[in-house]
Amino acid sequence: MIRGVLITGEGEAVRGGEALIDRWREDPDSRLWLDLEGETPARERALLESFDCHPMAIDDAHRERHPPKIEEFETHTLILYRGIASFDAELNFVPQQVAYFVGERYLISLHPGAAHSIERLLDNGEGERLLGHSPEFVALKAMYLSAGFYLDSLLEFEEVLSDLEDSLLEGGSDALMRRIVAYKSRLVKMRRVFNYHLGITQELTAYDYSHLPREMEETLHAIKDVHERFERLYSLSQMYYDICGDLVDGYLSLSSHRLNLTMRILTVITAIFVPLTFLAGVYGMNFEHMPELAYRHAYFVVLGVMVAIGLGLLWLFRRWRWI
């Protein structure tokens, strides 16, 4: 599906498809935004080559799971962005690569599936307004909105994390630990994505790109907005990762403490019964000449000694606060 928005030299906004390209070429003062969703690589390559896009940039855009990056070419700047196909408060997210080809008078965005940020710009008409200023504003706004979707789900995850903390205090379980470890794994992946995106905005802030000029105050302000949002996303994902790590450490500490208590009780029981077992073993030997065997009250004396040893050890362990 190819959708297009054209802003003519007179400021008129026109929506359409591939046919807008001819009108854009005829009007040197016009600006064009083409959005390619789910087109075949061959079709995308042919269209991008018609705009003199660099073959290396096209290859990068078609490469699966390419890390997000920004790269400048003679006629355009390529921004590879990791967008969202789906995302929820459980941090289950399916990313999709979105490529932006930003030229002086055009923006071409291509992605395999529906992109929420681009849909929003097209639905509310904000894309036309931004394109009227400059094509890079559309790309920056789409990245800003996409980061907003990430942020909303991350903030919802904060409530899930709070419930996990309460559950851990009430008594953790292996199932709870599996959830937390799964969250840690997802947060690592998200943090890596946000770090790539943060690198893109840092480059835009630090270096001059001819198609995203920093000398324009509005462009620099838009870049800073995107940078601040990705910086917040990165810091939030790092913070939540640290909290999950603390929860795992807390659960292990509680488990270790419970195990120590169990081992202490078993040690006390063993310490009490070892001398009693020794006495029982001694008098269980069937030797013929054992003087105590001839004593009439020897049985009761030995039992009394065993009871005294047991009670004495119990008193000693209680005094040491082992039990």
Side-chain angles (χ1 to χ4, degrees), residues 49-197:
E49 287 177 348
S50 70
F51 281 83
D52 295 326
C53 293
H54 199 281
M56 291 179 59
I58 300 174
D59 291 339
D60 287 343
H62 286 160
R63 192 173 302 160
E64 292 185 7
R65 303 182 64 83
H66 195 292
K69 71 168 188 176
I70 180 170
E71 187 173 359
E72 187 174 44
F73 297 90
E74 183 177 352
T75 60
H76 62 88
T77 298
L78 170 66
I79 301 176
L80 288 181
Y81 176 78
R82 191 67 58 83
I84 310 170
S86 64
F87 195 15
D88 60 25
E90 291 289 319
L91 302 185
N92 295 307
F93 76 104
V94 178
Q96 72 167 335
Q97 182 168 282
V98 182
Y100 297 103
F101 291 80
V102 185
E104 184 178 352
R105 294 174 46 232
Y106 69 85
L107 168 68
I108 302 175
S109 56
L110 53 98
H111 45 95
H116 299 299
S117 55
I118 291 176
E119 294 296 332
R120 182 171 173 180
L121 287 176
L122 290 172
D123 291 343
N124 62 14
E126 192 174 5
E128 285 91 337
R129 182 182 64 82
L130 293 171
L131 187 62
H133 288 283
S134 187
E136 68 265 16
F137 280 95
V138 181
L140 291 170
K141 187 64 174 182
M143 294 168 63
Y144 181 83
L145 292 175
S146 178
F149 291 123
Y150 276 119
L151 186 59
D152 292 341
S153 295
L154 269 180
L155 292 177
E156 289 180 18
F157 175 68
E158 189 168 353
E159 298 180 4
V160 176
L161 202 56
S162 178
D163 294 338
L164 285 175
E165 291 175 329
D166 295 337
S167 300
L168 187 64
L169 290 175
E170 294 171 0
S173 64
D174 291 340
L176 184 65
M177 275 301 96
R178 283 193 291 270
R179 283 185 64 192
I180 296 176
V181 171
Y183 289 145
K184 282 190 66 178
S185 177
R186 295 167 194 167
L187 284 167
V188 167
K189 296 177 183 178
M190 293 178 62
R191 185 180 60 182
R192 184 167 60 247
V193 171
F194 297 150
N195 188 42
Y196 280 129
H197 291 163

Side-chain angles (χ1 to χ4, degrees), residues 86-315:
S86 64
F87 195 15
D88 60 25
E90 291 289 319
L91 302 185
N92 295 307
F93 76 104
V94 178
Q96 72 167 335
Q97 182 168 282
V98 182
Y100 297 103
F101 291 80
V102 185
E104 184 178 352
R105 294 174 46 232
Y106 69 85
L107 168 68
I108 302 175
S109 56
L110 53 98
H111 45 95
H116 299 299
S117 55
I118 291 176
E119 294 296 332
R120 182 171 173 180
L121 287 176
L122 290 172
D123 291 343
N124 62 14
E126 192 174 5
E128 285 91 337
R129 182 182 64 82
L130 293 171
L131 187 62
H133 288 283
S134 187
E136 68 265 16
F137 280 95
V138 181
L140 291 170
K141 187 64 174 182
M143 294 168 63
Y144 181 83
L145 292 175
S146 178
F149 291 123
Y150 276 119
L151 186 59
D152 292 341
S153 295
L154 269 180
L155 292 177
E156 289 180 18
F157 175 68
E158 189 168 353
E159 298 180 4
V160 176
L161 202 56
S162 178
D163 294 338
L164 285 175
E165 291 175 329
D166 295 337
S167 300
L168 187 64
L169 290 175
E170 294 171 0
S173 64
D174 291 340
L176 184 65
M177 275 301 96
R178 283 193 291 270
R179 283 185 64 192
I180 296 176
V181 171
Y183 289 145
K184 282 190 66 178
S185 177
R186 295 167 194 167
L187 284 167
V188 167
K189 296 177 183 178
M190 293 178 62
R191 185 180 60 182
R192 184 167 60 247
V193 171
F194 297 150
N195 188 42
Y196 280 129
H197 291 163
L198 193 59
I200 291 175
T201 56
Q202 285 173 341
E203 285 195 33
L204 287 173
T205 306
Y207 304 104
D208 285 318
Y209 286 85
S210 58
H211 304 101
L212 293 100
R214 291 184 305 161
E215 63 270 12
M216 292 179 60
E217 185 176 349
E218 292 182 344
T219 303
L220 183 60
H221 180 72
I223 292 172
K224 287 182 177 179
D225 284 344
V226 179
H227 175 72
E228 289 172 359
R229 179 155 282 189
F230 281 126
E231 195 171 36
R232 187 181 181 195
L233 284 171
Y234 181 79
S235 61
L236 277 177
S237 61
Q238 180 64 52
M239 182 182 70
Y240 293 155
Y241 177 82
D242 293 339
I243 291 175
C244 287
D246 291 341
L247 290 177
V248 171
D249 293 341
Y251 174 78
L252 293 177
S253 297
L254 289 173
S255 298
S256 178
H257 180 66
R258 287 194 294 265
L259 180 60
N260 288 339
L261 291 177
T262 302
M263 293 303 296
R264 181 187 297 177
I265 293 173
L266 292 175
T267 302
V268 168
I269 294 173
T270 303
I272 291 174
F273 280 93
V274 162
L276 305 184
T277 304
F278 172 75
L279 289 175
V282 168
Y283 288 102
M285 294 186 292
N286 296 318
F287 291 111
E288 183 176 353
H289 301 289
M290 293 183 71
E292 295 86 353
L293 296 180
Y295 182 61
R296 182 177 181 180
H297 302 292
Y299 171 72
F300 300 102
V301 172
V302 172
L303 283 182
V305 171
M306 294 172 71
V307 170
I309 292 173
L311 293 176
L313 289 174
L314 282 173
W315 173 81

Side-chain angles (χ1 to χ4, degrees), residues 40-51:
T40 63
R43 183 73 186 91
E44 290 177 347
R45 180 176 291 275
L47 194 147
L48 291 169
E49 287 177 348
S50 70
F51 281 83

